C-alpha cells in the first residue's frame, strides 16, 4: 500500500485518509485557503484480500452504508469508498457543496484511489450510486483496463427534468453553465426521500443530516451542465469494455403529496430511463430490476436489499 496514514473514521470499523488534489482550484467565491481534497475510506479487515471494491456515492451524499461494506467483505473483497471533493468528509468551510463544472474533474480522485487499491490488489471493481454511477461510468469509459468491472446502483444516466429545466432547455443551461456556473437554481426539495430514509423521519437509517441534508445543497447551473454533458456521452454510447451490472427499482413514484408507496419505489429518478440507457454503457451489460427497491437500493427494506446483495453476489461470481 502507498505510504499514507490512516485515521479512525466516523463509522465504527472503518478508517480514512485525505486524498490530496494538487491541481484542483477553488470555484468562484470559495476561500482560497480551504483545501480541496477527497477522502478514501476503508473497512478494517484483519484478513486482507487480493480483490477490492471502490464505492462512489451520489449527489447530496457521503458513504455511510457500512452494511454494504459487510456484504462485499462476505464475498471476499476488501471494501473502500470515496467521499468526492466538496462532499461529506471532504467538504471544507466555505466550499460549494458538490460543485464541479466538469465530471472529468473527478478523474483526479478516482485515478488516485484506484492506483492506491491496485498497489495491493489484483482485481478492482468500481461501484457507483446515482450521480456516482454516472461519474463512475464516464470515468471507466475514459480509463479502459483501469478496473475489472462496474456495479451501478440506480445510476443517473438520463435527465429527469423539472419544469424549469424543460422550459430552459439544454442549450440555455449549457450557455448559462459556462457564464454563471455557481448560480443556484430554484429547485424544490419536497423532503420525501429523506422521510423514507432517516430514522428521525420514519425511516430506518441514522445517517448524518449535516453530510446528507434535507433539503439538499443548492443545485448550481455549472454542475447541472456537467451532468447533462455526462448524459449526452451516455446517449452516444460509452463503449465500456469491462462487464457492467446495472440495478434499479421496478417502478418510480413521483407525487406532490406523501404516499407510503414511496418506501418501495424510486422517488428520485425515472427507472424507465435508466433501463432504456443501460445498453449504451458497453457490450457486456446486465440489467436487474428490483421489485420494491428505493432509489438507493441498499437502503431498501430488509427483504429487498437482501435480493440486491444476492444479485451483486451472483454477478460477481459470474463475471468477477
Amino acid at each position: 500500500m502507498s505510504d499514507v496514514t490512516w485515521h479512525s473514521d466516523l463509522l465504527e470499523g472503518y478508517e480514512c485518509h485525505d486524498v490530496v488534489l494538487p491541481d484542483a482550484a477553488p470555484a468562484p467565491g470559495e476561500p482560497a485557503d480551504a483545501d480541496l481534497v477527497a477522502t478514501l475510506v476503508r473497512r478494517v479487515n484483519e484478513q486482507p484480500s487480493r480483490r477490492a471494491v471502490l464505492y462512489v456515492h451520489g449527489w447530496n451524499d457521503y458513504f455511510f452504508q457500512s452494511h454494504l461494506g459487510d456484504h462485499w467483505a462476505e464475498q471476499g473483497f476488501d471494501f473502500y469508498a470515496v467521499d468526492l471533493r466538496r462532499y461529506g468528509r471532504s467538504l471544507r468551510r466555505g466550499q460549494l457543496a458538490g460543485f464541479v463544472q466538469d465530471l472529468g474533474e473527478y478523474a483526479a480522485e478516482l485515478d488516485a484511489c484506484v492506483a492506491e487499491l491496485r498497489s495491493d490488489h489484483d482485481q478492482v471493481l468500481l461501484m457507483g450510486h446515482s450521480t456516482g454511477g454516472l461519474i463512475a461510468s464516464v470515468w471507466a469509459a475514459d480509463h479502459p483496463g483501469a478496473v475489472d468491472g462496474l456495479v451501478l446502483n440506480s445510476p443517473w444516466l438520463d435527465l429527469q427534468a423539472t419544469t424549469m429545466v424543460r422550459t430552459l432547455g439544454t442549450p440555455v443551461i449549457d450557455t448559462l453553465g459556462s457564464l454563471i456556473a455557481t448560480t443556484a437554481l430554484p429547485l424544490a426539495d419536497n423532503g420525501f426521500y429523506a422521510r423514507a430514509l432517516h430514522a428521525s423521519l420514519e425511516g430506518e437509517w441514522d445517517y448524518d443530516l449535516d453530510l446528507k441534508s434535507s433539503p439538499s445543497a443548492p443545485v448550481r447551473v455549472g454542475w447541472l451542465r456537467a451532468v447533462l454533458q455526462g448524459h449526452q456521452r451516455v446517449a452516444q454510447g460509452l463503449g465500456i469494455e469491462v462487464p457492467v451490472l446495472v440495478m434499479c427499482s421496478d417502478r418510480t413514484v413521483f407525487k406532490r403529496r406523501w404516499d407510503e408507496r414511496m418506501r418501495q419505489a424510486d422517488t428520485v429518478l425515472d427507472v424507465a430511463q435508466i433501463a432504456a440507457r443501460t445498453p449504451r454503457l458497453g457490450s457486456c451489460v446486465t440489467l436487474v430490476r428490483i421489485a420494491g427497491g428505493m432509489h438507493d437500493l441498499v437502503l431498501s427494506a430488509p427483504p429487498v436489499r437482501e435480493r440486491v446483495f444476492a444479485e451483486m453476489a451472483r454477478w460477481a461470481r459470474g463475471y468477477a
Side-chain angles (χ1 to χ4, degrees):
M1 181 66 71
S2 59
D3 186 19
V4 298
T5 301
W6 293 88
H7 306 280
S8 295
D9 186 56
L10 54 88
L11 290 177
E12 184 177 354
Y14 282 77
E15 4 179 72
C16 65
H17 75 80
D18 287 347
V19 177
V20 179
L21 307 173
D23 297 326
E30 288 186 330
D33 60 346
D35 293 335
L36 273 162
V37 301
T39 309
L40 185 60
V41 183
R42 72 176 179 183
R43 183 182 185 275
V44 177
N45 191 348
E46 295 180 358
Q47 297 180 326
S49 170
R50 297 300 300 178
R51 304 193 293 172
V53 173
L54 176 65
Y55 173 81
V56 185
H57 60 79
W59 164 251
N60 185 42
D61 210 350
Y62 73 107
F63 172 67
F64 65 91
Q65 302 89 335
S66 58
H67 61 296
L68 175 62
D70 295 341
H71 160 77
W72 281 112
E74 291 169 0
Q75 303 306 311
F77 289 81
D78 290 344
F79 181 81
Y80 298 76
V82 57
D83 278 11
L84 301 168
R85 67 185 73 186
R86 300 190 180 97
Y87 283 99
R89 299 165 178 82
S90 307
L91 182 63
R92 300 294 187 261
R93 172 190 54 83
Q95 291 179 345
L96 305 180
F99 181 75
V100 290
Q101 296 190 68
D102 187 329
L103 298 186
E105 294 178 39
Y106 292 126
E109 44 259 67
L110 293 181
D111 287 354
C113 291
V114 170
E116 185 166 334
L117 268 61
R118 281 291 186 192
S119 68
D120 266 355
H121 299 89
D122 302 319
Q123 183 184 53
V124 175
L125 303 181
L126 184 60
M127 181 175 184
H129 166 58
S130 197
T131 310
L134 175 63
I135 293 166
S137 297
V138 171
W139 182 87
D142 290 340
H143 296 76
V147 293
D148 301 288
L150 193 60
V151 179
L152 304 179
N153 168 5
S154 303
W156 193 12
L157 303 180
D158 198 359
L159 183 66
Q160 172 57 40
T162 65
T163 300
M164 188 200 69
V165 171
R166 288 195 299 268
T167 301
L168 289 176
T170 300
V172 174
I173 292 173
D174 193 51
T175 300
L176 293 177
S178 61
L179 297 175
I180 52 171
T182 61
T183 299
L185 294 168
L187 303 179
D189 181 349
N190 57 28
F192 291 160
Y193 187 45
R195 178 174 175 178
L197 290 180
H198 200 268
S200 67
L201 303 169
E202 305 175 20
E204 181 182 353
W205 306 98
D206 188 19
Y207 53 82
D208 190 325
L209 286 170
D210 289 327
L211 303 185
K212 181 178 174 66
S213 61
S214 181
S216 71
V219 171
R220 302 181 187 276
V221 182
W223 177 86
L224 183 57
R225 174 177 178 256
V227 169
L228 289 173
Q229 291 173 339
H231 290 161
Q232 291 166 0
R233 288 199 55 190
V234 174
Q236 294 164 1
L238 289 180
I240 296 172
E241 297 176 354
V242 296
V244 181
L245 171 64
V246 177
M247 298 177 294
C248 64
S249 181
D250 65 334
R251 64 175 174 170
T252 293
V253 173
F254 293 140
K255 286 185 174 291
R256 295 181 181 273
R257 294 184 178 181
W258 172 257
D259 187 319
E260 283 296 320
R261 291 179 299 172
M262 292 177 174
R263 302 186 190 278
Q264 299 177 329
D266 194 321
T267 60
V268 178
L269 298 181
D270 185 335
V271 295
Q273 290 180 318
I274 296 174
R277 283 287 173 93
T278 289
R280 304 190 184 190
L281 294 172
S283 59
C284 182
V285 182
T286 303
L287 172 65
V288 177
R289 305 291 293 270
I290 303 293
M294 299 179 70
H295 176 54
D296 188 341
L297 294 167
V298 305
L299 302 183
S300 303
V304 179
R305 63 178 181 260
E306 286 305 313
R307 191 199 161 194
V308 173
F309 291 147
E311 293 292 349
M312 287 196 296
R314 180 166 64 173
W315 178 87
R317 287 194 301 269
Y319 287 100

